[in-house]
Amino acid sequence: MLTLIIGFDAKSSTALSKCMITGASVATVYYNLKRRHPSLDLPIIDYDLALLIQPMLVLGISIGVGLNVLFAYWMITILLIVLFLITSTRAFLTGIETWKKETINKKEAAKPPQPQRADDAEGSLPEDVTNAAQLEIKDHKRQKVPFLENVHWKEFGLLCGVWISILSIQIAKSYTTRCLVFYWLLDLSQFPIAGIVTAYEAVGLYKGQKAITSKGDAGRELNMYQLVLYCTSGLVAGIVGGLLGLGGGFIMGPVFLELGIPPQVSSATATFVMVFSSSMSVIEYYLLKRFPIPYALYLTAVTTVAALVGQHIVRKAIDILGRASLIIFILALTIFTSAIFLGGIGLSKMVEKIQHKEYMGFESMCHM
């Protein structure tokens, strides 16, 4: 949109879009910090899931950016189209399944309560008292709370530590000659930082000291295979995001849905993780002087307000319709639309390069 409508060049558009993504994600996280889990007495952001995924995601983005230099433009375009079509299709199918489950639940809730038998009455509360208590609990959970009550400071501190460490390495790399020994040592130092934090969280989850609480009881009994799957998903999402120039949270949203995370929690946690990845890119682009600051401030302000409005509208729609699957359908539509437009732009540029007989093979990672 920045390229086609406003006329920015590709590099400025990429940098400005990261500013806009950061503004929108920060606004969304602020909104979500006041909300609770849709069915459990928990924050809507799953901090243990974020801590398990974020280090691998940030590491993957770093790897993906390097591969972006190596891969030819047509390769990235084809990967983009294939990935988006598969992801949007999977998200749409997940949305249909969720819609069907919600329809069944709404029908069950609409049924009149069964009369209580005399032999079951002993030792139990009257049905109207039980229902009133459940409604009171439900209303309590849906109320907004001060955001400080929804922050898990230990996990948040570790996430910030990983962000600062890897950002420092990226900044140091930008002032180092590419492909020298010191450059590669700096690059490789990201692996132990991400690995140690991920291992700390994974061991806690494996031993039962921690839990992916947003999944309920299922999140307390994670085996080694599931933990490896979670970590690998974060790494792959980061690599794809860095390779294709996308926000990591944009990839993680559908991944979280596939892993059985509720839609509201999936959206909130993916956006929370995206704050770290997108803000890191913004700082790097700022140091490289890739975007005009007045435009960045204006566009970021617009997307921040738009994100708050969008969150409010979607939240109200879910409250009225009682269908969290709306989030999944919006995600699927956004990804599919991106596949069409970005794919179309990419294909047109490929044709242009072929017509001009430009080189379309692999590039050197040591020259940018």
Side-chain angles (χ1 to χ4, degrees):
M1 289 172 62
L2 290 170
T3 301
L4 295 176
I5 299 175
I6 303 180
F8 283 108
D9 61 273
K11 291 184 177 180
S12 296
S13 295
T14 301
L16 284 169
S17 69
K18 290 294 184 182
C19 295
M20 296 165 70
I21 290 170
T22 301
S25 57
V26 168
T28 303
V29 168
Y30 175 76
Y31 182 90
N32 288 330
L33 281 174
K34 299 179 181 181
R35 295 172 55 200
R36 303 293 284 177
H37 191 284
S39 58
L40 302 172
D41 192 15
L42 299 167
I44 198 169
I45 296 172
D46 193 321
Y47 289 91
D48 284 297
L49 176 61
L51 187 57
L52 183 66
I53 295 293
Q54 187 251 16
M56 290 291 102
L57 179 69
V58 175
L59 177 63
I61 289 173
S62 178
I63 297 173
V65 169
L67 293 177
N68 181 272
V69 178
L70 180 65
F71 278 41
Y73 187 83
W74 66 270
M75 300 176 190
I76 296 176
T77 300
I78 292 175
L79 284 173
L80 183 86
I81 296 172
V82 172
L83 172 72
F84 276 18
L85 290 177
I86 293 175
T87 305
S88 61
T89 302
R90 290 293 303 171
F92 181 73
L93 294 176
T94 303
I96 292 176
E97 292 177 6
T98 306
W99 181 279
K100 291 178 179 178
K101 292 179 182 178
E102 290 170 343
T103 301
I104 294 173
N105 292 335
K106 288 171 77 71
K107 289 180 179 179
E108 291 291 332
K111 290 181 179 179
Q114 297 294 328
Q116 189 176 32
R117 296 190 311 177
D119 55 351
D120 292 337
E122 185 178 355
S124 62
L125 293 173
E127 187 176 354
D128 56 344
V129 175
T130 304
N131 290 339
Q134 290 175 347
L135 288 173
E136 184 180 353
I137 293 172
K138 184 178 180 181
D139 289 340
H140 173 71
K141 290 176 182 177
R142 292 170 65 85
Q143 287 178 355
K144 291 184 177 182
V145 299
F147 74 91
L148 292 177
E149 293 184 18
N150 274 342
V151 178
H152 291 184
W153 293 105
K154 182 179 179 181
E155 287 77 10
F156 181 72
L158 287 171
L159 289 168
C160 291
V162 172
W163 181 82
I164 292 171
S165 300
I166 294 185
L167 176 61
S168 300
I169 292 171
Q170 294 298 323
I171 293 173
K173 282 173 58 181
S174 66
Y175 291 99
T176 305
T177 305
R178 294 180 64 85
C179 294
L180 293 181
V181 174
F182 183 65
Y183 175 88
W184 291 118
L185 288 175
L186 280 174
D187 198 38
L188 292 174
S189 64
Q190 299 174 93
F191 286 81
I193 294 172
I196 289 172
V197 177
T198 300
Y200 163 78
E201 181 65 20
V203 170
L205 290 168
Y206 183 72
K207 291 183 176 181
Q209 299 169 350
K210 297 174 176 288
I212 305 297
T213 51
S214 60
K215 295 186 67 174
D217 293 336
R220 301 181 185 279
E221 300 176 355
L222 297 177
N223 56 40
M224 187 62 68
Y225 169 77
Q226 290 173 310
L227 291 171
V228 171
L229 177 63
Y230 275 68
C231 296
T232 303
S233 299
L235 182 64
V236 172
I239 292 174
V240 172
L243 175 62
L244 303 180
L246 305 170
F250 193 70
I251 307 296
M252 287 312 304
V255 172
F256 286 160
L257 292 173
E258 291 287 332
L259 295 174
I261 307 298
Q264 298 98 316
V265 180
S266 172
S267 175
T269 305
T271 306
F272 177 67
V273 170
M274 191 161 59
V275 169
F276 294 96
S277 58
S278 60
S279 60
M280 182 179 294
S281 300
V282 168
I283 294 174
E284 291 177 6
Y285 284 131
Y286 173 76
L287 294 173
L288 294 172
K289 299 180 180 180
R290 288 284 183 88
F291 56 80
I293 294 178
Y295 278 105
L297 293 175
Y298 170 72
L299 292 171
T300 300
V302 171
T303 50
T304 300
V305 174
L308 291 172
V309 173
Q311 283 288 327
H312 181 74
I313 292 174
V314 172
R315 177 66 177 171
K316 288 294 183 183
I318 293 174
D319 288 343
I320 294 171
L321 300 176
R323 294 186 180 274
S325 54
L326 287 174
I327 296 175
I328 306 177
F329 287 123
I330 291 171
L331 178 65
L333 178 62
T334 303
I335 297 174
F336 180 76
T337 305
S338 299
I340 300 300
F341 282 97
L342 295 178
I345 295 170
L347 290 174
S348 65
K349 289 185 178 181
M350 285 171 53
V351 172
E352 185 178 341
K353 286 179 177 290
I354 293 173
Q355 291 176 342
H356 289 83
K357 297 181 179 180
E358 298 182 20
Y359 176 71
M360 298 181 66
F362 287 98
E363 303 289 345
S364 172
M365 292 186 67
C366 297
H367 299 87
M368 293 183 65

